[in-house]
Amino acid sequence: MARATAATSLVLIFFLSFMLFSSSFSSASSSWKSKKHHKPCKHLLLFFHDIIYNGRNAANATSAIVAAPQGANLTILADKFHFGNIAVFDDPITLDNNLHSPPVGRAQGMYIYDTKNTFSAWLGFTFVLKTKDYQGTINFNGADPLMNKTRDISIVGGTGDFFMHRGVATLMTDSFEGEVYFRLSVDIKFYECW
């Protein structure tokens, strides 16, 4: 009889522990879901303009191919979805989509064409902003599936007015002219502001 009572007690303890764990998991899960819908603590919309060096535009170029597949030319993007090309850039950032607007900073970094069967790149870059409203840097990185109308990449930090900020930037190709010029609209939403 004592063994049956001990076994029943053990089952009861196990059952209550299970119920306690599952209810705490459920409340943590619903808490996580509610955090998904936070509003941004800061929002910016900026444009950056990329002019790829093509061997004839050195005075205007803001980016250059620095690595290419074996035998490829560093002034022309490789065939087959540009796979293997690496470009570095120092592009002007503007508040509107006009290349000739006064720049508010520079976009500095690189993109790597990293997919063999579609146009896609990996981006790693920094916005260096110097305006009366904002001083500092914003750091971005992530995959850029170029065939999508909009693409999200991570904001992983910053300095100055953007110290320790994190969030998401939605990229949209606003304009492009062949393989020499493109303009990106960068819709920046910070969800962690210090």
Side-chain angles (χ1 to χ4, degrees):
M1 178 83 168
R3 273 184 116 169
T5 305
T8 305
S9 296
L10 187 60
V11 169
L12 184 59
I13 289 171
F14 178 78
F15 178 75
L16 290 174
S17 297
F18 176 77
M19 293 303 289
L20 180 65
F21 174 76
S22 62
S23 68
S24 66
F25 179 76
S26 173
S27 67
S29 174
S30 65
S31 169
W32 176 79
K33 287 179 185 175
S34 67
K35 288 181 183 178
K36 260 175 94 170
H37 302 290
H38 283 292
K39 292 186 179 184
C41 50
K42 196 179 289 182
H43 180 245
L44 298 169
L45 178 62
L46 299 169
F47 296 83
F48 79 88
H49 309 265
D50 191 82
I51 303 168
I52 301 172
Y53 174 70
N54 66 3
R56 298 180 306 278
N57 63 348
N60 296 332
T62 62
S63 67
I65 302 167
V66 296
Q70 185 175 356
N73 184 335
L74 292 180
T75 61
I76 301 169
L77 290 167
D79 290 338
K80 299 283 184 185
F81 307 107
H82 312 317
F83 179 72
N85 281 131
I86 299 174
V88 296
F89 58 90
D90 182 17
D91 297 338
I93 302 169
T94 60
L95 295 174
D96 61 21
N97 63 4
N98 186 343
L99 172 62
H100 303 292
S101 292
V104 297
R106 306 294 293 182
Q108 299 170 329
M110 67 176 167
Y111 46 92
I112 302 169
Y113 289 99
D114 61 351
T115 305
K116 293 170 90 173
N117 58 4
T118 188
F119 288 104
S120 181
W122 181 88
L123 301 173
F125 64 97
T126 299
F127 276 8
V128 181
L129 297 174
K130 296 178 182 177
T131 70
K132 63 180 181 172
D133 296 325
Y134 296 111
Q135 295 282 320
T137 64
I138 307 168
N139 301 313
F140 306 82
N141 71 29
D144 184 14
L146 298 166
M147 300 309 290
N148 296 349
K149 183 175 180 173
T150 61
R151 293 93 63 191
D152 290 334
I153 61 171
S154 300
I155 299 170
V156 296
T159 64
D161 292 332
F162 308 101
F163 177 74
M164 297 292 289
H165 282 35
R166 292 194 301 173
V168 174
T170 302
L171 306 178
M172 186 172 75
T173 304
D174 191 53
S175 175
F176 70 93
E177 295 175 18
E179 294 184 349
V180 175
Y181 171 79
F182 66 85
R183 176 179 60 234
L184 290 181
S185 160
V186 184
D187 188 9
I188 300 168
K189 293 182 183 93
F190 295 107
Y191 292 95
E192 283 187 20
C193 300
W194 289 73

